[in-house]
């Protein structure tokens, strides 16, 4: 499908509008209960279904039922499993925003119909005329994109974790300092962990019960608006989980501030205490706002103060969950030097073409919809430009387009076929001849997590402050670490290398800072310490 080329000029940021809300909350009406000995799982094929799973990992609540929707094409079978495209909804929305309700005619659902049909040639000049999938065609030779579609619910749940049900998840693991036992406790449950649910527990269920392949070769993720942010955030934090990530008008940077990118140059010694110091956390100045009665539209955005925290006191936590700050994580390559993660996105140009066109012809009805959705695109447009700048600075390959219109499905739906083609081309399809993808031979990575696995490597960091650990040029031969604290590294057994013959070793990056990382300071070479470790030999192994 044709994509409009990117043209970047000077853009003005927008003031946050109260237009974020407006979608109805989902419930589990019409959802099948979690599978059990008394209620076995019943697969539904060729129609949208709602299914609950038991949160056995207690990520969103103590063993609660978590609903999601799915669509399985008729061609997907246990003998010929299909790849999965995870679809994340936007602010105030639910999975019905992506896949409709159970019983909805699949021919009316854009994400479903994009698998077997497309808008007619020439639609690009007026895509709003083809937002209804019934106007699409299936010309001879058009390949069927047989992917299972899975749409989770990004809301806190009744009886689950968080201050109250129905709050936007932001698709992140919530900041634990505001949860039960935290130093700024606001609610009396553990912090909900939506990112971990979407990247671990949900795929485990999908591969166990649906005719789906397992692993990153069979997984891609996409989202709209807040879901576009979620797809990029999860895709960049877990590039070893997805083969491709796509965004539609994603909200890439809630801080509305520049995202300094870590440079390629590092220094062996930067600014840090000469010896260990007492760690002090800044108090959350915005805490009382979350307790005040607010209009629903404003409250949707204020939820970020519970999910991520105070933008000043928890600046590092925000940065650790902003795609603009994680651009370098797309730098993972095969032995041949090919980038592994596929990245595709589009945003609209903020011009309400359809409303203006209908108004000129005497029909003002479309203009009202355009006016209500206009503020959204004004906010996310500069965020997407910032995201492209970040990718360019890090040398990360991606495709990006600016289309006509604003923050409405009327302008977006006609382009979904292109997104699905992008994902399908990068996914594995059983029985269709394409082989498994090559593992990452080298990669860069940046995270605020202190205990994580990436590309088969495992890292733990002993430190108190919330700050980035930066990994550069990680391969079986060497790696460079930048930050503070003591980092314990475990190399994949497949490398057959180590330090002094051992696959697990520790690297001392010097004393912790006195407080959480301020203003993305780790992006500069003078914050913390850099250490390069050369790996050699045939390491010992406790495994056969």
């Amino acid at each position: 499908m044709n994509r409009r080329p990117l043209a970047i000029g000077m853009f003005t940021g927008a003031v946050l509008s109260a237009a974020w809300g407006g979608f109805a909350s989902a419930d589990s009406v019409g959802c099948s209960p979690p599978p059990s000995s008394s209620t076995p799982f019943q697969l539904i094929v060729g129609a949208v279904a709602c299914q609950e799973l038991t949160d056995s990992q207690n990520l969103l609540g103590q063993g609660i039922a978590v609903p999601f929707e799915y669509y399985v094409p008729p061609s997907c079978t246990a003998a010929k499993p299909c790849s999965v495209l995870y679809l994340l909804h936007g602010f105030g929305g639910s999975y019905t925003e992506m896949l409709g309700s159970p019983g909805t005619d699949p021919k009316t659902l854009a994400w479903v119909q994009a698998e077997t049909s497309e808008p007619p040639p020439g639609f690009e000049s007026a895509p709003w005329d083809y937002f209804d999938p019934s106007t699409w065609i299936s010309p001879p030779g058009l390949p069927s994109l047989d992917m299972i579609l899975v749409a989770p619910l990004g809301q806190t749940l009744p009886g689950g974790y968080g201050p109250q049900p129905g709050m936007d998840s932001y698709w992140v693991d919530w900041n634990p300092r505001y949860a039960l036992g935290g130093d700024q406790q606001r609610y009396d449950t553990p912090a909900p962990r939506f990112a971990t649910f979407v990247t671990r527990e949900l795929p485990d269920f999908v591969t166990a019960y649906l005719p789906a392949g397992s692993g990153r070769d069979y997984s891609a993720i996409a989202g709209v608006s807040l879901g576009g942010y979620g797809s990029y955030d999860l895709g960049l934090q877990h590039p070893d989980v997805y083969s491709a990530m796509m965004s539609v008008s994603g909200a890439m940077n809630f801080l509305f501030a520049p995202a300094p990118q870590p440079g390629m140059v590092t220094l062996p010694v930067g600014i840090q205490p000469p010896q260990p110091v007492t760690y002090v956390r800044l108090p959350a100045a915005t805490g009382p706002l979350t307790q005040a009665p607010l209009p629903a539209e404003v409250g949707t955005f204020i939820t970020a103060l519970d999910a991520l925290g105070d933008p000043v006191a928890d600046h590092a936590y925000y940065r650790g969950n902003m795609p603009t700050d994680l651009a370098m994580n797309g730098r993972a390559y095969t032995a041949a030097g090919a980038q592994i993660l596929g990245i595709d996105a589009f945003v609209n140009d903020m011009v309400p073409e359809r409303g203006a066109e209908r108004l000129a012809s005497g029909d003002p009805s479309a203009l009202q919809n355009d006016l209500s959705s206009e503020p959204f695109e004004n906010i996310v447009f500069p965020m997407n430009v910032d995201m492209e700048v970040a990718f360019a600075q890090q040398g990360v390959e991606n495709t990006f387009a600016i289309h006509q219109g604003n923050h409405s499905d009327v302008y977006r739906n006609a382009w979904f076929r292109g997104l699905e083609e992008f994902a399908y081309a990068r996914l594995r399809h059983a029985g269709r001849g394409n082989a498994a993808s090559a593992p990452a031979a080298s990669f860069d990575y940046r995270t605020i997590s202190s205990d994580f696995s990436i590309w088969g490597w495992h890292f733990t960091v002993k430190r108190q402050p919330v700050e980035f650990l930066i990994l550069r040029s990680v391969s079986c031969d060497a790696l460079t670490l930048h930050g503070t604290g003591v980092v314990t590294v475990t190399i994949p057994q497949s490398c057959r290398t180590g330090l002094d013959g051992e696959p697990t070793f520790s690297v001392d990056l010097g004393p912790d800072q006195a407080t959480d990382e301020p203003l993305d300071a780790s992006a500069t070479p003078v914050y913390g310490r850099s250490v390069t470790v050369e790996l050699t030999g045939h390491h010992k192994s406790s495994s056969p």
Side-chain angles (χ1 to χ4, degrees):
M1 299 183 72
N2 296 326
R3 307 296 296 274
R4 292 178 63 190
L6 168 64
I8 297 180
M10 297 298 293
F11 301 97
T12 304
V15 177
L16 179 66
S17 166
W20 290 110
F23 298 97
S25 295
D27 54 39
S28 57
V29 174
C31 291
S32 298
S36 67
S37 58
S38 59
T39 56
F41 177 77
Q42 292 185 332
L43 177 66
I44 295 176
V45 175
V48 172
C50 187
Q51 176 66 48
E52 293 179 338
L53 64 86
T54 299
D55 184 6
S56 59
Q57 298 180 31
N58 300 328
L59 300 173
L60 307 183
Q62 187 74 30
I64 63 173
V66 182
F68 70 94
E69 286 189 338
Y70 69 87
Y71 172 81
V72 175
S75 61
C76 301
T77 65
K80 190 177 287 187
C82 289
S83 290
V84 181
L85 175 58
Y86 293 90
L87 300 173
L88 308 185
H89 64 76
F91 275 104
S94 76
Y95 41 57
T96 60
E97 178 186 341
M98 311 305 285
L99 292 179
S101 301
T104 302
D105 183 355
K107 293 181 179 179
T108 67
L109 302 173
W111 287 105
V112 174
Q113 285 306 105
E115 295 202 338
T116 57
S117 61
E118 64 181 3
F123 82 93
E124 296 89 353
S125 62
W128 51 89
D129 287 339
Y130 303 96
F131 77 92
D132 184 346
S134 67
T135 64
W136 300 357
I137 61 175
S138 299
L142 183 71
S144 179
L145 310 178
D146 298 325
M147 296 180 291
I148 296 172
L149 305 177
V150 173
L153 178 62
Q155 296 178 4
T156 53
L157 298 167
Y161 298 156
Q164 62 187 37
M167 299 177 72
D168 277 301
S169 69
Y170 281 71
W171 303 110
V172 299
D173 288 351
W174 284 28
N175 193 332
R177 74 179 303 205
Y178 301 100
L180 181 67
D183 67 295
Q184 297 276 303
Q185 182 176 330
R186 293 177 183 161
Y187 53 94
D188 59 0
T189 74
R193 300 174 62 194
F194 286 93
T196 304
F197 174 80
V198 172
T199 57
R200 293 186 191 175
E201 189 166 31
L202 180 58
D204 287 348
F205 185 94
V206 167
T207 55
Y209 289 95
L210 303 185
S214 177
R216 74 175 304 275
D217 285 348
Y218 290 93
S219 300
I221 189 167
V224 173
S225 189
L226 179 62
Y229 154 81
S231 67
Y232 265 38
D233 183 39
L234 297 182
L236 290 170
Q237 293 206 50
H238 304 278
D240 54 346
V241 171
Y242 304 105
S243 289
M245 65 180 196
M246 292 86 69
S247 169
V248 177
S249 297
M252 300 301 181
N253 185 358
F254 301 138
L255 287 172
F256 299 93
Q261 296 299 307
M264 302 298 179
V265 177
T266 59
L267 298 176
V269 178
I271 298 173
Q272 62 189 138
Q275 59 186 11
V277 295
T278 301
Y279 169 61
V280 178
R281 300 202 75 173
L282 297 177
T286 54
L289 280 178
T290 62
Q291 308 302 324
L294 296 167
E297 295 84 355
V298 178
T300 297
F301 185 77
I302 296 299
T303 299
L305 302 179
D306 282 323
L308 296 166
D310 178 274
V312 176
D314 301 292
H315 192 83
Y317 201 88
Y318 271 82
R319 292 287 190 187
N321 286 281
M322 291 300 114
T324 45
D325 290 88
L326 302 174
M328 67 176 285
N329 295 359
R331 294 176 54 85
Y333 306 96
T334 66
Q339 181 177 304
I340 295 176
L341 180 65
I343 305 172
D344 187 27
F346 73 83
V347 71
N348 291 332
D349 63 9
M350 305 173 289
V351 179
E353 298 277 0
R354 180 173 181 262
E357 180 184 271
R358 296 293 177 87
L359 183 62
S361 64
D363 177 10
S365 60
L367 186 61
Q368 181 177 357
N369 178 70
D370 274 346
L371 292 176
S372 64
S373 58
E374 185 69 19
F376 286 83
E377 210 69 15
N378 280 282
I379 293 170
V380 302
F381 188 94
M383 294 182 184
N384 279 262
V385 174
D386 289 345
M387 188 77 248
E388 288 306 298
V389 171
F391 280 142
Q393 290 177 342
Q394 291 296 334
V396 174
E397 298 175 4
N398 71 300
T399 55
F400 177 67
I402 297 176
H403 298 313
Q404 300 175 77
N406 55 32
H407 212 75
S408 167
D409 286 343
V410 168
Y411 295 104
R412 298 189 288 227
N413 286 2
W415 300 102
F416 288 173
R417 171 74 186 191
L419 293 178
E420 293 194 10
E421 288 176 345
F422 181 89
Y424 191 84
R426 287 156 180 81
L427 291 165
R428 190 178 183 189
H429 310 288
R432 294 168 177 84
N434 57 335
S437 64
S442 65
F443 66 91
D444 294 349
Y445 192 70
R446 188 181 194 216
T447 182
I448 60 171
S449 176
S450 59
D451 189 346
F452 63 96
S453 294
I454 184 70
W455 296 115
W457 295 64
H458 188 75
F459 299 84
T460 58
V461 189
K462 186 179 180 180
R463 65 159 190 254
Q464 287 186 289
V466 178
E467 66 178 33
F468 280 108
L469 172 69
I470 298 175
L471 307 173
R472 284 286 193 192
S473 303
V474 181
S475 73
C476 292
D477 299 320
L479 72 158
T480 296
L481 306 93
H482 178 77
T484 70
V486 177
V487 183
T488 299
V489 183
T490 299
I491 306 170
Q493 185 177 353
S494 59
C495 280
R496 310 301 295 173
T497 56
L499 182 64
D500 298 328
E502 296 292 340
T504 299
F505 56 89
S506 295
V507 179
D508 189 352
L509 297 179
D512 298 357
Q513 304 289 354
T515 188
D516 295 344
E517 179 183 330
L519 301 175
D520 219 1
S522 68
T524 69
V526 298
Y527 184 90
R529 179 180 301 175
S530 293
V531 174
T532 297
V533 180
E534 302 290 339
L535 305 173
T536 59
H538 203 68
H539 74 59
K540 301 174 184 178
S541 174
S542 58
S543 301

